[in-house]
Amino acid sequence: MWYIYVLCAAVLISLLTAFCYYENNGLSVTRLKVSSNKLTSAFSAVIISDLHGKYFGDNQQELVHALRNLDFDCVLLTGDMNKYKESDVQSSGAVLDLINGIQDMAPIFWVDGNGGPYAIETIDGGVTGRLTDFGQLLEDMGVQVLTEPVEIQKDSQRIWLTPELSKMELQMNYEESSNDAVVDYGKK
């Protein structure tokens, strides 16, 4: 009778191991629709977050191929791209290879997460607005690091990507945006 318990435990451990492996190594696309009565046409964004240094094929080719099959207006890279907090080029190979593979698809925007690499300098926990060496590398690659609100326009519609700003702060600093749709995009 004890062998049934051992067998059940082994099956459960195997299923849990397979689930954890897939969650950490699988590639999936989740579609989420956000609506606003202020927009008459759709904006579409790919959000990539928490890559944690993971590669999907050589030079991110599986991920790049998956993105080439989607239709989108911009790419939002939202931090935690390295396995560790380092912001050096060597530690950032996974995200830099990804950027190299997708930079011709659509505008790419970057916001720091709570893990590296960091594109915006901080002092005593406060954001200075100045770029780190890594942030400058991103901008040299054509990625726009969000240090201030950025407008994206499609047809006659426009939205704003705002780093760590509330809608009220955006309207105070950019009054012309009060009639636009506001997407708070920033701190995780």
Side-chain angles (χ1 to χ4, degrees):
M1 186 60 134
W2 62 269
Y3 59 89
I4 292 176
Y5 293 117
V6 171
L7 181 62
C8 287
V11 168
L12 286 174
I13 290 170
S14 296
L15 289 173
L16 182 61
T17 301
F19 173 77
C20 289
Y21 178 83
Y22 178 77
E23 284 296 308
N24 287 312
N25 296 289
L27 178 61
S28 64
V29 174
T30 303
R31 296 180 190 277
L32 175 66
K33 183 177 182 179
V34 179
S35 300
S36 171
N37 60 1
K38 295 180 180 182
L39 293 174
T40 58
S41 60
F43 282 89
S44 179
V46 169
I47 301 172
I48 301 173
S49 183
D50 297 282
L51 191 59
H52 294 289
K54 176 70 179 152
Y55 272 90
F56 294 93
D58 292 337
N59 298 317
Q60 299 291 27
Q61 287 308 305
E62 291 176 32
L63 184 51
V64 170
H65 178 71
L67 293 175
R68 289 209 185 279
N69 292 322
L70 301 175
D71 182 30
F72 51 90
D73 300 308
C74 65
V75 177
L76 311 173
L77 300 175
T78 60
D80 298 0
M81 295 296 172
N82 287 356
K83 189 171 185 177
Y84 305 105
K85 292 189 179 216
E86 286 82 7
S87 293
D88 60 275
V89 174
Q90 184 177 2
S91 301
S92 306
V95 70
L96 295 175
D97 285 345
L98 173 62
I99 291 167
N100 281 326
I102 65 172
Q103 60 192 172
D104 65 330
M105 294 183 195
I108 304 171
F109 299 92
W110 178 280
V111 160
D112 285 345
N114 60 350
Y118 299 106
I120 302 172
E121 180 183 89
T122 59
I123 297 176
D124 296 327
V127 177
T128 66
R130 291 187 298 267
L131 297 181
T132 63
D133 290 342
F134 183 78
Q136 188 58 57
L137 173 63
L138 290 174
E139 293 226 327
D140 291 346
M141 295 176 74
V143 176
Q144 186 162 357
V145 177
L146 292 182
T147 58
E148 61 187 23
V150 173
E151 177 186 54
I152 299 178
Q153 198 160 357
K154 180 179 177 183
D155 304 322
S156 62
Q157 301 288 302
R158 60 186 180 169
I159 62 171
W160 289 85
L161 302 178
T162 63
E164 300 185 42
L165 293 175
S166 68
K167 183 176 179 179
M168 182 178 72
E169 290 170 315
L170 178 65
Q171 288 175 337
M172 286 173 37
N173 294 316
Y174 299 88
E175 289 194 17
E176 71 273 8
S177 69
S178 62
N179 293 324
D180 299 336
V182 175
V183 177
D184 289 323
Y185 170 72
K187 222 173 201 174
K188 294 169 97 180

